[in-house]
Amino acid sequence: MAKLYSILIGALILGLSLTGYSQRNCGTTNYTAHQIQKDPSLAKTFKNQELKIKHWIDNSKGDDEIIYIPVIFHVLYKSTVTNISDAQIYSQIDILNADYSRQNLDTTDTPSEFKILGADTRIQFCVAHQTPTGNWTDGITRTSTTKTTFDMSANEAKFDSKGGIDAWNTEKYLNIWIVPEIIDGGVSGILGYAQFPGGALATDGVVVGYNYIGNIGAASYPFNKGRTLTHEIGHYLNLYHIWGDDFGACTGTDQVEDTPNQASKNFGCPAHPHASCSNDGDMFQNYMDYTNDACMNLFTIGQKERMLAAINTSRATLKTSGVCQANYISKQKNIQFNISPNPANNYIKINLSEANNTEIQVLDITAKVIIKEFSNNKTIIINTSELPNGIYFLQLKSDTKTGIQKFIIQQ
Ligand SMILES: [Zn+2]
């Protein structure tokens, strides 16, 4: 019997090492338990917050303004692999903005009975363009580290003194730390974790593995569509897991009325309907379940209300932070340019609003740099006749500005 166990355990370890982590594992529930253990008064804070949220929702006037949340990304890298590209990071912003406004292309996969519940949350994300001291930033800090793993409960990613990097003012920025790997007490396999509103300011934000961000570059299947951050930022805005974290008891709640009562987490891509707790089908397409990126496609109206309540009661300073504007591509301090023709074949022409020792990079869909040139001209022609058909990114950088746009090659 012991022999059989060791064979089974060996097979399990081998399976993990061969396939990576094929099941979603979010650290937020354990992280929150750790935080409450360290500071028991947090339990009361969270309880009070529930009352404030309920009060806000009951009195909400249905204001439909779009709220912009400024984001600063902190890349903590050990190697060129973990020092992921700007393009991979910016692809995450596009995904968040699509998912949170229900502009994601896979809304067609939402089952018909849930479609009516799918919400444009009116929450959008912008890349920070001001540092805490008022200097310009492209919204990304990069810090070389000797660490390959960052412990979750010790919040190692979030402090210079622990081998990470200190948060930028968490009342003005949503801090997102991108790390080689998250561990919890030595155990691997956590994709990301978030801090609920009400926790310590110094540790506020989200931590995510470098291979679970965006949809290009190092983003790895089945978590290569950026939904890990869609999920974690849901927690940051006070959403619970859709099954209510009750280990299958059907008695827990996510505090949202329009999500079905669901027994436990769903993994992979189940067939719909997958019923539990006497429901007609779990809403495993919800971003707050544990399914693969490709199988998630909605927040509900109830979740939208809860997130807006969290912002307006606990994170209101983000709304007036002013460290970025809505559209990072057209931001004043970004390089203004257009690409023509698009789609293109033999060449692309770049028209710049000003000439200023510009570095030009063409990146492929995996964020690999294919062409790199420098120019002092306002009009730049790039030969693309050798490029295979596909989607590419053109990234421009000058001393103080940057910009990125997508273009298509059709030979
Ligand atoms: Zn989670």
Side-chain angles (χ1 to χ4, degrees), residues 327-347:
N327 184 345
Y328 70 92
I329 285 173
S330 63
K331 179 81 174 69
Q332 193 188 357
K333 284 193 173 175
N334 271 6
I335 297 177
Q336 306 284 319
F337 67 102
N338 65 52
I339 304 170
S340 63
N342 189 8
N345 47 32
N346 290 334
Y347 71 93

Side-chain angles (χ1 to χ4, degrees), residues 24 26-29 192 231-232 235 240-241 243 288-290:
R24 184 177 300 283
C26 154
T28 300
T29 308
H231 174 112
E232 294 304 334
H235 288 313
Y240 294 113
H241 289 136
W243 67 93
M288 300 314 289
D289 205 333
Y290 262 21

Side-chain angles (χ1 to χ4, degrees), residues 173-244:
Y173 302 84
L174 160 53
N175 284 257
I176 297 177
W177 290 266
I178 302 167
V179 299
E181 187 175 3
I182 299 166
I183 55 166
D184 185 20
V187 179
S188 309
I190 298 165
L191 276 58
Y193 68 96
Q195 183 168 300
F196 281 101
L201 290 178
T203 53
D204 200 17
V206 175
V207 183
V208 65
Y210 77 98
N211 46 341
Y212 308 121
I213 182 166
N215 59 2
I216 56 173
S220 62
Y221 177 86
F223 308 113
N224 57 345
K225 292 184 181 295
R227 262 71 195 253
T228 298
L229 274 178
T230 302
H231 174 112
E232 294 304 334
I233 293 171
H235 288 313
Y236 171 83
L237 298 175
N238 226 5
L239 293 188
Y240 294 113
H241 289 136
I242 192 167
W243 67 93

